PDB file of all heavy atoms in Angstrom:
ATOM      1  N   ALA A   1      15.202  24.807  49.095  1.00  0.00           N
ATOM      2  CA  ALA A   1      14.608  25.982  48.508  1.00  0.00           C
ATOM      3  C   ALA A   1      14.604  27.196  49.477  1.00  0.00           C
ATOM      4  O   ALA A   1      14.753  28.353  49.153  1.00  0.00           O
ATOM      5  CB  ALA A   1      13.230  25.733  48.008  1.00  0.00           C
ATOM      6  N   ARG A   2      14.436  26.772  50.786  1.00  0.00           N
ATOM      7  CA  ARG A   2      14.478  27.867  51.801  1.00  0.00           C
ATOM      8  C   ARG A   2      15.919  28.386  51.938  1.00  0.00           C
ATOM      9  O   ARG A   2      16.070  29.511  52.290  1.00  0.00           O
ATOM     10  CB  ARG A   2      13.969  27.272  53.156  1.00  0.00           C
ATOM     11  CG  ARG A   2      12.523  27.118  53.263  1.00  0.00           C
ATOM     12  CD  ARG A   2      11.986  26.771  54.591  1.00  0.00           C
ATOM     13  NE  ARG A   2      12.368  25.376  55.080  1.00  0.00           N
ATOM     14  CZ  ARG A   2      11.603  24.352  54.688  1.00  0.00           C
ATOM     15  NH1 ARG A   2      10.498  24.562  53.921  1.00  0.00           N
ATOM     16  NH2 ARG A   2      11.851  23.108  55.068  1.00  0.00           N
ATOM     17  N   GLN A   3      16.919  27.595  51.763  1.00  0.00           N
ATOM     18  CA  GLN A   3      18.302  27.968  51.867  1.00  0.00           C
ATOM     19  C   GLN A   3      18.761  28.623  50.577  1.00  0.00           C
ATOM     20  O   GLN A   3      19.732  29.467  50.680  1.00  0.00           O
ATOM     21  CB  GLN A   3      19.177  26.705  52.123  1.00  0.00           C
ATOM     22  CG  GLN A   3      18.846  26.072  53.411  1.00  0.00           C
ATOM     23  CD  GLN A   3      19.560  24.721  53.462  1.00  0.00           C
ATOM     24  OE1 GLN A   3      20.347  24.317  52.653  1.00  0.00           O
ATOM     25  NE2 GLN A   3      19.264  23.984  54.599  1.00  0.00           N
ATOM     26  N   ASP A   4      18.228  28.399  49.444  1.00  0.00           N
ATOM     27  CA  ASP A   4      18.696  28.889  48.167  1.00  0.00           C
ATOM     28  C   ASP A   4      17.533  29.578  47.452  1.00  0.00           C
ATOM     29  O   ASP A   4      16.699  28.937  46.770  1.00  0.00           O
ATOM     30  CB  ASP A   4      19.188  27.691  47.394  1.00  0.00           C
ATOM     31  CG  ASP A   4      19.723  28.103  45.924  1.00  0.00           C
ATOM     32  OD1 ASP A   4      19.560  29.249  45.492  1.00  0.00           O
ATOM     33  OD2 ASP A   4      20.325  27.221  45.274  1.00  0.00           O
ATOM     34  N   PRO A   5      17.523  30.900  47.554  1.00  0.00           N
ATOM     35  CA  PRO A   5      16.338  31.611  46.874  1.00  0.00           C
ATOM     36  C   PRO A   5      16.167  31.413  45.368  1.00  0.00           C
ATOM     37  O   PRO A   5      15.053  31.405  44.950  1.00  0.00           O
ATOM     38  CB  PRO A   5      16.724  33.061  47.181  1.00  0.00           C
ATOM     39  CG  PRO A   5      17.620  33.078  48.328  1.00  0.00           C
ATOM     40  CD  PRO A   5      18.390  31.768  48.256  1.00  0.00           C
ATOM     41  N   GLU A   6      17.243  31.171  44.695  1.00  0.00           N
ATOM     42  CA  GLU A   6      17.193  30.836  43.259  1.00  0.00           C
ATOM     43  C   GLU A   6      16.523  29.552  43.007  1.00  0.00           C
ATOM     44  O   GLU A   6      15.602  29.423  42.172  1.00  0.00           O
ATOM     45  CB  GLU A   6      18.587  30.944  42.653  1.00  0.00           C
ATOM     46  CG  GLU A   6      18.500  30.716  41.132  1.00  0.00           C
ATOM     47  CD  GLU A   6      19.890  30.615  40.484  1.00  0.00           C
ATOM     48  OE1 GLU A   6      20.919  30.924  41.071  1.00  0.00           O
ATOM     49  OE2 GLU A   6      19.952  30.253  39.271  1.00  0.00           O
ATOM     50  N   LEU A   7      16.862  28.573  43.844  1.00  0.00           N
ATOM     51  CA  LEU A   7      16.244  27.303  43.678  1.00  0.00           C
ATOM     52  C   LEU A   7      14.700  27.354  44.069  1.00  0.00           C
ATOM     53  O   LEU A   7      13.927  26.804  43.361  1.00  0.00           O
ATOM     54  CB  LEU A   7      16.916  26.242  44.562  1.00  0.00           C
ATOM     55  CG  LEU A   7      16.203  24.819  44.476  1.00  0.00           C
ATOM     56  CD1 LEU A   7      16.363  24.132  43.205  1.00  0.00           C
ATOM     57  CD2 LEU A   7      16.924  23.917  45.604  1.00  0.00           C
ATOM     58  N   GLY A   8      14.535  28.145  45.124  1.00  0.00           N
ATOM     59  CA  GLY A   8      13.091  28.397  45.583  1.00  0.00           C
ATOM     60  C   GLY A   8      12.282  28.990  44.423  1.00  0.00           C
ATOM     61  O   GLY A   8      11.141  28.530  44.198  1.00  0.00           O
ATOM     62  N   ARG A   9      12.806  30.038  43.795  1.00  0.00           N
ATOM     63  CA  ARG A   9      12.023  30.689  42.566  1.00  0.00           C
ATOM     64  C   ARG A   9      11.865  29.630  41.478  1.00  0.00           C
ATOM     65  O   ARG A   9      10.812  29.603  40.856  1.00  0.00           O
ATOM     66  CB  ARG A   9      12.861  31.852  42.040  1.00  0.00           C
ATOM     67  CG  ARG A   9      12.766  33.105  43.033  1.00  0.00           C
ATOM     68  CD  ARG A   9      13.405  34.267  42.356  1.00  0.00           C
ATOM     69  NE  ARG A   9      14.750  34.138  42.113  1.00  0.00           N
ATOM     70  CZ  ARG A   9      15.786  34.414  42.933  1.00  0.00           C
ATOM     71  NH1 ARG A   9      15.462  34.907  44.180  1.00  0.00           N
ATOM     72  NH2 ARG A   9      17.047  34.300  42.660  1.00  0.00           N
ATOM     73  N   ASP A  10      12.876  28.854  41.193  1.00  0.00           N
ATOM     74  CA  ASP A  10      12.807  27.843  40.114  1.00  0.00           C
ATOM     75  C   ASP A  10      11.799  26.857  40.452  1.00  0.00           C
ATOM     76  O   ASP A  10      11.001  26.445  39.539  1.00  0.00           O
ATOM     77  CB  ASP A  10      14.154  27.254  39.722  1.00  0.00           C
ATOM     78  CG  ASP A  10      15.112  28.216  39.261  1.00  0.00           C
ATOM     79  OD1 ASP A  10      14.671  29.288  38.795  1.00  0.00           O
ATOM     80  OD2 ASP A  10      16.266  27.921  39.194  1.00  0.00           O
ATOM     81  N   LEU A  11      11.737  26.296  41.723  1.00  0.00           N
ATOM     82  CA  LEU A  11      10.679  25.385  42.094  1.00  0.00           C
ATOM     83  C   LEU A  11       9.268  25.886  42.056  1.00  0.00           C
ATOM     84  O   LEU A  11       8.332  25.336  41.544  1.00  0.00           O
ATOM     85  CB  LEU A  11      10.985  24.756  43.500  1.00  0.00           C
ATOM     86  CG  LEU A  11      12.009  23.748  43.555  1.00  0.00           C
ATOM     87  CD1 LEU A  11      12.475  23.446  45.003  1.00  0.00           C
ATOM     88  CD2 LEU A  11      11.660  22.478  42.864  1.00  0.00           C
ATOM     89  N   ALA A  12       9.164  27.186  42.473  1.00  0.00           N
ATOM     90  CA  ALA A  12       7.861  27.909  42.440  1.00  0.00           C
ATOM     91  C   ALA A  12       7.436  27.998  41.000  1.00  0.00           C
ATOM     92  O   ALA A  12       6.255  27.914  40.704  1.00  0.00           O
ATOM     93  CB  ALA A  12       7.953  29.153  43.212  1.00  0.00           C
ATOM     94  N   ALA A  13       8.366  28.431  40.107  1.00  0.00           N
ATOM     95  CA  ALA A  13       7.952  28.524  38.725  1.00  0.00           C
ATOM     96  C   ALA A  13       7.537  27.138  38.156  1.00  0.00           C
ATOM     97  O   ALA A  13       6.649  27.105  37.372  1.00  0.00           O
ATOM     98  CB  ALA A  13       9.198  29.113  38.015  1.00  0.00           C
ATOM     99  N   TRP A  14       8.204  26.080  38.568  1.00  0.00           N
ATOM    100  CA  TRP A  14       7.905  24.826  38.028  1.00  0.00           C
ATOM    101  C   TRP A  14       6.457  24.443  38.506  1.00  0.00           C
ATOM    102  O   TRP A  14       5.661  23.930  37.775  1.00  0.00           O
ATOM    103  CB  TRP A  14       8.842  23.692  38.504  1.00  0.00           C
ATOM    104  CG  TRP A  14       8.472  22.389  38.023  1.00  0.00           C
ATOM    105  CD1 TRP A  14       8.905  21.707  36.879  1.00  0.00           C
ATOM    106  CD2 TRP A  14       7.587  21.421  38.706  1.00  0.00           C
ATOM    107  NE1 TRP A  14       8.290  20.479  36.742  1.00  0.00           N
ATOM    108  CE2 TRP A  14       7.467  20.253  37.903  1.00  0.00           C
ATOM    109  CE3 TRP A  14       6.867  21.353  39.909  1.00  0.00           C
ATOM    110  CZ2 TRP A  14       6.725  19.122  38.199  1.00  0.00           C
ATOM    111  CZ3 TRP A  14       6.196  20.211  40.191  1.00  0.00           C
ATOM    112  CH2 TRP A  14       6.091  19.095  39.377  1.00  0.00           C
ATOM    113  N   MET A  15       6.178  24.688  39.719  1.00  0.00           N
ATOM    114  CA  MET A  15       4.828  24.428  40.300  1.00  0.00           C
ATOM    115  C   MET A  15       3.796  25.214  39.624  1.00  0.00           C
ATOM    116  O   MET A  15       2.714  24.762  39.269  1.00  0.00           O
ATOM    117  CB  MET A  15       4.897  24.692  41.767  1.00  0.00           C
ATOM    118  CG  MET A  15       5.654  23.565  42.513  1.00  0.00           C
ATOM    119  SD  MET A  15       5.833  24.040  44.324  1.00  0.00           S
ATOM    120  CE  MET A  15       4.191  24.205  44.866  1.00  0.00           C
ATOM    121  N   SER A  16       4.105  26.489  39.381  1.00  0.00           N
ATOM    122  CA  SER A  16       3.201  27.398  38.646  1.00  0.00           C
ATOM    123  C   SER A  16       2.886  26.853  37.145  1.00  0.00           C
ATOM    124  O   SER A  16       1.805  26.915  36.756  1.00  0.00           O
ATOM    125  CB  SER A  16       3.664  28.769  38.586  1.00  0.00           C
ATOM    126  OG  SER A  16       2.847  29.580  37.908  1.00  0.00           O
ATOM    127  N   ARG A  17       3.948  26.380  36.583  1.00  0.00           N
ATOM    128  CA  ARG A  17       3.789  25.924  35.201  1.00  0.00           C
ATOM    129  C   ARG A  17       3.119  24.540  35.027  1.00  0.00           C
ATOM    130  O   ARG A  17       2.279  24.351  34.160  1.00  0.00           O
ATOM    131  CB  ARG A  17       5.109  25.922  34.443  1.00  0.00           C
ATOM    132  CG  ARG A  17       5.054  25.486  33.059  1.00  0.00           C
ATOM    133  CD  ARG A  17       6.277  25.696  32.398  1.00  0.00           C
ATOM    134  NE  ARG A  17       6.160  25.228  30.974  1.00  0.00           N
ATOM    135  CZ  ARG A  17       7.127  25.251  30.097  1.00  0.00           C
ATOM    136  NH1 ARG A  17       8.274  25.665  30.413  1.00  0.00           N
ATOM    137  NH2 ARG A  17       6.847  24.793  28.880  1.00  0.00           N
ATOM    138  N   TYR A  18       3.540  23.615  35.864  1.00  0.00           N
ATOM    139  CA  TYR A  18       3.071  22.252  35.722  1.00  0.00           C
ATOM    140  C   TYR A  18       2.111  21.671  36.765  1.00  0.00           C
ATOM    141  O   TYR A  18       1.435  20.772  36.518  1.00  0.00           O
ATOM    142  CB  TYR A  18       4.391  21.258  35.642  1.00  0.00           C
ATOM    143  CG  TYR A  18       5.263  21.560  34.605  1.00  0.00           C
ATOM    144  CD1 TYR A  18       6.597  22.132  34.751  1.00  0.00           C
ATOM    145  CD2 TYR A  18       4.903  21.260  33.253  1.00  0.00           C
ATOM    146  CE1 TYR A  18       7.425  22.262  33.715  1.00  0.00           C
ATOM    147  CE2 TYR A  18       5.755  21.430  32.187  1.00  0.00           C
ATOM    148  CZ  TYR A  18       7.044  22.006  32.398  1.00  0.00           C
ATOM    149  OH  TYR A  18       7.918  22.119  31.373  1.00  0.00           O
ATOM    150  N   GLY A  19       2.225  22.142  37.975  1.00  0.00           N
ATOM    151  CA  GLY A  19       1.489  21.516  39.029  1.00  0.00           C
ATOM    152  C   GLY A  19       0.284  22.410  39.579  1.00  0.00           C
ATOM    153  O   GLY A  19       0.103  23.513  39.043  1.00  0.00           O
ATOM    154  N   THR A  20      -0.324  21.878  40.470  1.00  0.00           N
ATOM    155  CA  THR A  20      -1.402  22.616  41.099  1.00  0.00           C
ATOM    156  C   THR A  20      -0.842  23.353  42.275  1.00  0.00           C
ATOM    157  O   THR A  20      -0.453  22.683  43.230  1.00  0.00           O
ATOM    158  CB  THR A  20      -2.596  21.624  41.554  1.00  0.00           C
ATOM    159  OG1 THR A  20      -2.999  20.913  40.445  1.00  0.00           O
ATOM    160  CG2 THR A  20      -3.723  22.365  42.211  1.00  0.00           C
ATOM    161  N   PRO A  21      -0.997  24.616  42.344  1.00  0.00           N
ATOM    162  CA  PRO A  21      -0.517  25.329  43.494  1.00  0.00           C
ATOM    163  C   PRO A  21      -1.252  24.823  44.767  1.00  0.00           C
ATOM    164  O   PRO A  21      -2.431  24.420  44.709  1.00  0.00           O
ATOM    165  CB  PRO A  21      -0.894  26.774  43.297  1.00  0.00           C
ATOM    166  CG  PRO A  21      -1.057  26.903  41.770  1.00  0.00           C
ATOM    167  CD  PRO A  21      -1.438  25.544  41.329  1.00  0.00           C
ATOM    168  N   ALA A  22      -0.600  24.925  45.908  1.00  0.00           N
ATOM    169  CA  ALA A  22      -1.173  24.241  47.181  1.00  0.00           C
ATOM    170  C   ALA A  22      -2.418  24.816  47.507  1.00  0.00           C
ATOM    171  O   ALA A  22      -3.405  24.150  48.037  1.00  0.00           O
ATOM    172  CB  ALA A  22      -0.184  24.433  48.273  1.00  0.00           C
ATOM    173  N   GLN A  23      -2.717  26.149  47.285  1.00  0.00           N
ATOM    174  CA  GLN A  23      -4.021  26.795  47.671  1.00  0.00           C
ATOM    175  C   GLN A  23      -5.108  26.263  46.739  1.00  0.00           C
ATOM    176  O   GLN A  23      -6.250  26.657  47.090  1.00  0.00           O
ATOM    177  CB  GLN A  23      -3.869  28.233  47.754  1.00  0.00           C
ATOM    178  CG  GLN A  23      -3.665  28.956  46.431  1.00  0.00           C
ATOM    179  CD  GLN A  23      -2.200  29.064  46.062  1.00  0.00           C
ATOM    180  OE1 GLN A  23      -1.313  28.437  46.709  1.00  0.00           O
ATOM    181  NE2 GLN A  23      -1.892  29.961  45.116  1.00  0.00           N
ATOM    182  N   GLU A  24      -4.826  25.660  45.660  1.00  0.00           N
ATOM    183  CA  GLU A  24      -5.874  25.316  44.726  1.00  0.00           C
ATOM    184  C   GLU A  24      -6.114  23.806  44.646  1.00  0.00           C
ATOM    185  O   GLU A  24      -6.731  23.289  43.720  1.00  0.00           O
ATOM    186  CB  GLU A  24      -5.507  25.876  43.317  1.00  0.00           C
ATOM    187  CG  GLU A  24      -5.441  27.247  43.239  1.00  0.00           C
ATOM    188  CD  GLU A  24      -5.239  27.727  41.789  1.00  0.00           C
ATOM    189  OE1 GLU A  24      -5.583  27.002  40.790  1.00  0.00           O
ATOM    190  OE2 GLU A  24      -4.571  28.807  41.547  1.00  0.00           O
ATOM    191  N   VAL A  25      -5.597  23.043  45.613  1.00  0.00           N
ATOM    192  CA  VAL A  25      -5.839  21.621  45.625  1.00  0.00           C
ATOM    193  C   VAL A  25      -7.375  21.345  45.537  1.00  0.00           C
ATOM    194  O   VAL A  25      -8.092  21.977  46.358  1.00  0.00           O
ATOM    195  CB  VAL A  25      -5.074  20.887  46.797  1.00  0.00           C
ATOM    196  CG1 VAL A  25      -5.557  19.469  46.869  1.00  0.00           C
ATOM    197  CG2 VAL A  25      -3.671  21.116  46.717  1.00  0.00           C
ATOM    198  N   GLY A  26      -7.699  20.476  44.700  1.00  0.00           N
ATOM    199  CA  GLY A  26      -9.196  20.148  44.578  1.00  0.00           C
ATOM    200  C   GLY A  26      -9.811  20.903  43.377  1.00  0.00           C
ATOM    201  O   GLY A  26     -10.973  20.521  43.046  1.00  0.00           O
ATOM    202  N   THR A  27      -9.234  21.907  42.934  1.00  0.00           N
ATOM    203  CA  THR A  27      -9.906  22.635  41.814  1.00  0.00           C
ATOM    204  C   THR A  27      -9.444  21.937  40.516  1.00  0.00           C
ATOM    205  O   THR A  27      -8.487  21.251  40.496  1.00  0.00           O
ATOM    206  CB  THR A  27      -9.532  24.184  41.747  1.00  0.00           C
ATOM    207  OG1 THR A  27      -8.100  24.219  41.605  1.00  0.00           O
ATOM    208  CG2 THR A  27     -10.024  24.803  42.908  1.00  0.00           C
ATOM    209  N   VAL A  28     -10.103  22.231  39.457  1.00  0.00           N
ATOM    210  CA  VAL A  28      -9.842  21.548  38.146  1.00  0.00           C
ATOM    211  C   VAL A  28      -9.424  22.632  37.147  1.00  0.00           C
ATOM    212  O   VAL A  28     -10.192  23.643  37.044  1.00  0.00           O
ATOM    213  CB  VAL A  28     -10.944  20.754  37.585  1.00  0.00           C
ATOM    214  CG1 VAL A  28     -10.722  20.207  36.250  1.00  0.00           C
ATOM    215  CG2 VAL A  28     -11.331  19.597  38.607  1.00  0.00           C
ATOM    216  N   HIS A  29      -8.406  22.521  36.454  1.00  0.00           N
ATOM    217  CA  HIS A  29      -8.029  23.337  35.317  1.00  0.00           C
ATOM    218  C   HIS A  29      -7.794  22.515  34.143  1.00  0.00           C
ATOM    219  O   HIS A  29      -6.716  21.835  33.880  1.00  0.00           O
ATOM    220  CB  HIS A  29      -6.722  24.145  35.694  1.00  0.00           C
ATOM    221  CG  HIS A  29      -6.812  24.973  36.918  1.00  0.00           C
ATOM    222  ND1 HIS A  29      -7.432  26.202  36.870  1.00  0.00           N
ATOM    223  CD2 HIS A  29      -6.474  24.729  38.152  1.00  0.00           C
ATOM    224  CE1 HIS A  29      -7.307  26.696  38.082  1.00  0.00           C
ATOM    225  NE2 HIS A  29      -6.820  25.835  38.977  1.00  0.00           N
TER     226      HIS A  29
END
């Protein structure tokens, strides 16, 4: 993702849609 900005954007979008962003670990949604 650091080497390929498009992959980085896609992974960040996946994390935003499905996972808990790193700064929010421990919170509940």
Side-chain angles (χ1 to χ4, degrees):
R2 284 189 286 280
Q3 298 168 1
D4 179 352
E6 182 181 348
L7 177 64
R9 284 189 298 275
D10 292 345
L11 281 171
W14 181 88
M15 290 172 57
S16 175
R17 180 171 182 181
Y18 295 112
T20 302
Q23 67 272 18
E24 295 184 29
V25 172
T27 60
V28 175
H29 301 277

